[in-house]
Amino acid sequence: MKDDIKITSFGETISFQRIIGKKIGEINSPTVIAFAGIHGNERAGIHALQNVFEKINKENLSFNGNFYGISGNLNAIEKNIRFESVDLNRIWTEENLNLIKLLDYKTNEHKEQFEIYKTLKVIFKKHKWPFYFLDLHTTSSNTQPFITISDSLNNREFCSEFTIPTILGIEEFLDGPLLTFINEYGHVALGFEAGQHYDKLSVSNCEAFIWQALKVSNCVSQHEIDSYYKKSKALFSTFKIQHQFFQIDYKYNIKSNENFKMNPGFENFQFINKNQEIALSNDTKIYSDRSGKIFMPLYQSRGNDGFFIISKLSVFWLELSKLLRKFKFYSVLTLLPGVRKHKENEYTLMVNPKIAKFLATEIFHLLGYRKKIKKENLLYFFRRDRKERIL
Ligand SMILES: [Zn+2]
């Protein structure tokens, strides 16, 4: 057995291992798996998981399903840094996993990735469908809590049970996040951003999110956790922006040698006007090219996402896309010129951007695809609604 990791934050010292806690239920389905500390400086989720497991054990709460708490980048958590060499939330690709299966670790993070991967394999082997994944994070700027998901219908349905906002499609702007990898196996996978890294309220928000997710997934019945559930609902009802879906319209990418500095005082979800001054890039002022809500403004030195701009999705769009996907309207796409199915992957479409010029990315989004630009100038679109598989 490995030594415990010991950390002190939020006025408390805790010790834990890769598996922060587990609770095996009576009926044995569903299984909820919560990650915390995939970014090592985001410790709120670890404290929250410890608190939740402590309560479960102390009160001997009876569970239907199973619940696991898994720690992320142990080495970085101990050092209280986001990551050592590479971001553990940007390396979840099949290529990387094939390399680490050969024990070819390029960095500490690849080693952590392999340990997490092995832990997941064991859980998948032990339990039956359905599986629900939660990934607990915090942000550098002040924010109320919110959820991020890939826009699959099962993810959407699960999020609708929470009274906080949900942002769709962030994975289109990121390479190799853990939850996109999980989503590709068809499981519900939610990112939860609890608040600012060092704010004690972030711990309470994570706890509230965990209790609610355990109930929504039917992992535990409401009467068993009634007081925690009600308290967590009350906490979430205090936030300014309640449940609604947002899409990402824009991301500011920080280049490798760029000196980027956000103007002070931006809060997450704050409305910004077109031509408003947002940040400094190598002493040049950056203005917003559109109006909308500013999202995840960067107030730390690490990371290359400067800020995002988001807008609210209409109920009409959400309902229409649900309907079109249910009736498999996407199968029509392959009849169009310049669009063909990938030979080995039924969920992937290869699109020639010159021929399919008239097809806007929005159409693909509506039908449940996310876009990635790949080699030889082809656009690749990946369908987000999938049948469940195990790792
Ligand atoms: Zn994070």
Side-chain angles (χ1 to χ4, degrees), residues 128-141:
K128 283 192 202 84
W129 182 87
F131 295 94
Y132 297 90
F133 289 85
L134 315 172
D135 191 10
L136 308 172
H137 287 259
T138 50
T139 57
S140 59
S141 61

Side-chain angles (χ1 to χ4, degrees), residues 64 74 99 119 124 132 175 178 226 232 244 250 313 366:
N64 306 321
L74 285 174
L99 282 177
T119 309
F124 271 113
Y132 297 90
D175 286 323
L178 169 63
D226 202 42
S232 69
Q244 45 194 292
Y250 175 83
L313 279 161
L366 192 68

Side-chain angles (χ1 to χ4, degrees), residues 274-297:
K274 193 178 172 182
N275 298 326
Q276 187 170 336
E277 195 187 317
I278 306 289
L280 276 179
S281 161
N282 300 333
D283 299 323
T284 306
K285 287 175 181 171
I286 299 167
Y287 300 92
S288 172
D289 68 345
R290 67 195 76 208
S291 62
K293 285 183 186 295
I294 201 151
F295 180 62
M296 291 178 87

Side-chain angles (χ1 to χ4, degrees), residues 240-382:
K240 199 166 142 196
I241 302 174
Q242 291 287 292
H243 174 70
Q244 45 194 292
F245 287 105
F246 290 92
Q247 67 176 356
I248 296 175
D249 300 323
Y250 175 83
K251 176 190 156 189
Y252 184 87
N253 243 332
I254 303 173
K255 287 165 220 84
S256 54
N257 287 323
E258 180 177 344
N259 183 10
F260 175 86
K261 203 165 179 283
M262 274 306 292
N263 285 7
F266 280 112
E267 277 221 18
N268 218 10
F269 298 104
Q270 183 181 327
F271 184 80
I272 52 160
N273 289 306
K274 193 178 172 182
N275 298 326
Q276 187 170 336
E277 195 187 317
I278 306 289
L280 276 179
S281 161
N282 300 333
D283 299 323
T284 306
K285 287 175 181 171
I286 299 167
Y287 300 92
S288 172
D289 68 345
R290 67 195 76 208
S291 62
K293 285 183 186 295
I294 201 151
F295 180 62
M296 291 178 87
L298 186 74
Y299 285 110
Q300 66 191 5
S301 55
R302 279 193 126 155
N304 48 21
D305 314 325
F307 61 92
F308 297 85
I309 299 173
I310 59 173
S311 62
K312 198 182 149 184
L313 279 161
S314 69
V315 175
F316 174 76
W317 189 92
L318 291 163
E319 287 303 315
L320 178 66
S321 66
K322 204 160 131 185
L323 206 71
L324 292 172
R325 292 183 207 181
K326 278 201 168 144
F327 287 106
K328 299 193 164 57
F329 208 78
Y330 45 78
S331 47
V332 177
L333 286 170
T334 47
L335 303 176
L336 299 169
V339 182
R340 64 193 153 98
K341 219 176 193 172
H342 194 281
K343 273 189 195 124
E344 284 137 44
N345 189 335
E346 56 169 324
Y347 298 111
T348 305
L349 292 178
M350 295 151 79
V351 180
N352 183 330
K354 278 182 204 141
I355 300 173
K357 222 189 226 162
F358 59 94
L359 280 175
T361 304
E362 278 70 28
I363 305 247
F364 285 93
H365 283 169
L366 192 68
L367 298 175
Y369 284 83
R370 74 183 170 91
K371 182 176 79 173
K372 281 279 164 196
I373 296 154
K374 286 265 170 112
K375 53 195 168 194
E376 287 144 29
N377 267 340
L378 278 177
L379 294 176
Y380 277 55
F381 286 88
F382 304 96

